[in-house]
Amino acid sequence: MKKTIRDFNLKGKRVLIRVDFNVPLDKELRITDDNRIQASLPTIQHALEQGAYVILMSHLGRPEGKQVSSMSLTPASKRLSELIGKNVIQCSDCVGARVKEELKVLDAESPVAVLENLRFSPLEEKNDAEFARQLAENGDIYINDAFGSSHRAHASIEAITKYLPSGAGFLLSKEIEYFEKAVSHPERPYITILGGAKVTDKIKLILSLMDRADTILIGGAMAYTFYRVMGIKIGNSKFEEKGLPFAEEILKKAKIKNTDIQFPVDRVISQEFKENAVSRIVEGDIPDGWMGMDIGPKTVAKYKDTLSKAKLIVWNGPMGVFEMRPFDNGTRALMEHVASLTGKVTTIIGGGDTAAAAAHFHLEDKMSHVSTGGGASLEYLEGTPLPGVVALEDKEKVHA
Ligand code: AMP
């Protein structure tokens, strides 16, 4: 068990929180979606309520180690100031004497500061120890609340924990709590739904789930790479040439291990990759000139039936092109079903496209947990330890 922000006495302390303020900006540098800032509020508010000074740090975009003014965190600190109704100090950099001066003005009236984009320094992504030590000088306690970056051993995520007492914020601790349910002690039957476009992204995950999960349900374009190996004709469907040997390996292993890995029995096909294109449903081969866009109704019924027996459901990757009607039906129907099971069943939605699909169908609040990190959730589920989680202090450890 990792320490959380609740395990520290924060009164009068400078709490250095690694947040994810990597928000989308338009050309005028206006934030187009402030969800990530909103999501960090519980941890920030808790620290403020406990009488702490809050110093936030984040990356934004890919400035590649250079100062890029369009990637400043200024719009994020302005938005945060509006949300918390308090003055927020935007620092000119993330380390150094000038930042120390700027942080001296933290007081009861202005208890929050945001350090400038961590990735303006090339040392952040290098997990540089000296850079991490300088970052750590800005605080007394380090809290990680940036799950989406915790699979990266970067200075603000990993090396910094060597210089300060450390723990997880509320967002990160919820991610750990739910992913641990899947990785360490899954309730059974544990059923996973895997979709999306690429097999190669998920090979490690599939191989690891063969040992951990009871059933694996496959959908999305990923299924067509498997069909190619199985000798089912896929017409013009999207598939991954590079993924073919891996799909073959997975099928061989599944046979040896007797894994319950299920593939769609029917598919919604179209001749055009566009919204409202004419579609048909087929079982078996896809005719030339047509491509698979979604799982069909028989597959939806079969998967729903299987899922009804689950105690734990983990979903990673959409079942079809959910962004376009009518090819959203399969993902929507299964997601509504999974949502209806929540409560009796622990339901976990991996981040990235699957979380986007849950938001698209307005079902985010109907799941036990929707992860905020795509890559990080994939690695967690694979059983790959996340550097940002491993580095945090364990609960038992007592600090002088
Ligand atoms: P991934 O990033 O691998 O999780 O893939 C997500 C993307 O896969 C989504 O944008 C879906 O539109 C796309 N996708 C799912 N099923 C299909 C399909 N049958 N054909 C083409 N794209 C698909």
Side-chain angles (χ1 to χ4, degrees):
M1 284 276 275
K2 294 295 176 183
K3 276 194 179 169
T4 78
I5 191 166
R6 287 194 195 283
D7 295 313
F8 295 95
N9 178 1
L10 304 180
K11 193 159 176 50
K13 298 276 168 53
R14 296 172 303 156
V15 183
L16 188 55
I17 310 178
R18 176 56 158 101
V19 287
D20 178 6
F21 280 0
N22 185 24
V23 288
L25 300 170
D26 67 13
K27 282 205 185 95
E28 273 78 46
L29 303 183
R30 284 181 304 227
I31 296 171
T32 54
D33 179 352
D34 70 354
N35 266 331
R36 288 178 169 166
I37 302 177
Q38 300 251 18
S40 70
L41 293 180
T43 300
I44 295 170
Q45 299 282 24
H46 173 79
L48 292 176
E49 278 157 27
Q50 299 294 308
Y53 302 108
V54 171
I55 297 130
L56 302 165
M57 50 183 177
S58 176
H59 73 281
L60 192 151
R62 293 175 192 271
E64 293 178 350
K66 292 184 210 73
Q67 297 261 348
V68 180
S69 59
S70 61
M71 293 183 199
S72 165
L73 283 165
T74 304
S77 41
K78 284 196 178 136
R79 184 76 193 109
L80 176 66
S81 169
E82 287 162 14
L83 289 169
I84 61 174
K86 284 187 166 55
N87 186 34
V88 172
I89 299 157
Q90 173 60 56
C91 296
S92 57
D93 200 345
C94 55
V95 292
R98 195 161 154 205
V99 172
K100 277 195 189 135
E101 278 304 310
E102 288 164 351
L103 292 177
K104 276 191 185 151
V105 301
L106 282 173
D107 62 13
E109 285 302 303
S110 301
V112 182
V114 178
L115 302 181
E116 191 47 288
N117 193 339
L118 293 159
R119 291 194 189 163
F120 282 0
S121 166
L123 303 174
E124 160 66 359
E125 294 188 57
K126 291 192 175 130
N127 204 21
D128 184 83
E130 175 54 21
F131 178 68
R133 193 191 61 73
Q134 290 176 28
L135 281 176
E137 282 184 350
N138 298 321
D140 304 308
I141 294 165
Y142 167 78
I143 296 296
N144 182 353
D145 216 16
F147 177 70
S149 299
S150 292
H151 59 315
R152 309 259 184 242
H154 291 171
S156 68
I157 294 285
E158 211 256 320
I160 193 166
T161 60
K162 298 188 176 72
Y163 303 99
L164 288 176
S166 62
F170 294 131
L171 269 182
L172 180 60
S173 48
K174 187 174 182 232
E175 298 273 6
I176 297 173
E177 179 193 338
Y178 278 94
F179 282 114
E180 280 303 315
K181 279 183 200 280
V183 175
S184 303
H185 38 83
E187 295 167 283
R188 297 190 181 279
Y190 167 20
I191 302 184
T192 61
I193 308 170
L194 297 182
K198 289 189 184 159
V199 177
T200 46
D201 285 352
K202 299 193 177 104
I203 303 158
K204 234 175 133 184
L205 177 62
I206 302 174
L207 290 173
S208 125
L209 288 174
M210 283 178 162
D211 295 322
R212 295 168 196 264
D214 298 295
T215 301
I216 303 172
L217 305 177
I218 302 277
M222 189 206 271
Y224 303 108
T225 308
F226 284 98
Y227 289 149
R228 274 286 300 260
V229 176
M230 292 169 181
I232 297 172
K233 291 209 172 105
I234 65 164
N236 286 346
S237 303
K238 185 170 181 162
F239 83 104
E240 211 187 351
E241 190 80 48
K242 268 199 316 216
L244 289 171
F246 299 111
E248 199 168 346
E249 178 194 341
I250 288 164
L251 290 175
K252 263 193 203 141
K253 287 210 166 125
K255 208 166 180 186
I256 296 165
K257 293 183 179 218
N258 208 8
T259 309
D260 183 14
I261 180 165
Q262 300 182 20
F263 293 90
V265 289
D266 60 348
R267 34 218 144 257
V268 180
I269 60 170
S270 173
Q271 286 172 303
E272 292 175 290
F273 194 83
K274 66 169 201 195
E275 181 105 8
N276 293 322
V278 173
S279 64
R280 278 172 50 193
I281 295 162
V282 291
E283 294 175 31
D285 291 340
I286 295 177
D288 289 342
W290 292 73
M291 62 193 129
M293 300 285 279
D294 191 14
I295 54 173
K298 277 196 181 166
T299 308
V300 169
K302 183 171 175 257
Y303 283 7
K304 273 167 81 169
D305 193 47
T306 305
L307 288 164
S308 294
K309 300 177 185 92
K311 278 275 181 314
L312 170 65
I313 298 172
V314 176
W315 186 336
N316 207 306
M319 295 290 95
V321 187
F322 75 93
E323 301 94 335
M324 288 181 202
R325 276 169 207 247
F327 311 109
D328 55 343
N329 283 335
T331 307
R332 180 200 305 271
L334 275 198
M335 221 171 241
E336 282 173 352
H337 182 65
V338 170
S340 76
L341 298 170
T342 304
K344 293 193 294 272
V345 180
T346 302
T347 54
I348 303 176
I349 301 291
D353 284 309
T354 331
H360 185 75
F361 300 129
H362 306 291
L363 292 169
E364 285 165 301
D365 300 340
K366 304 270 187 315
M367 307 292 176
S368 309
H369 181 61
V370 179
S371 178
T372 54
S377 72
L378 208 62
E379 290 193 21
Y380 214 136
L381 286 171
E382 282 167 11
T384 306
L386 304 193
V389 175
V390 174
L392 297 177
E393 278 177 46
D394 291 313
K395 278 226 193 239
E396 300 75 46
K397 208 162 144 187
V398 181
H399 243 277

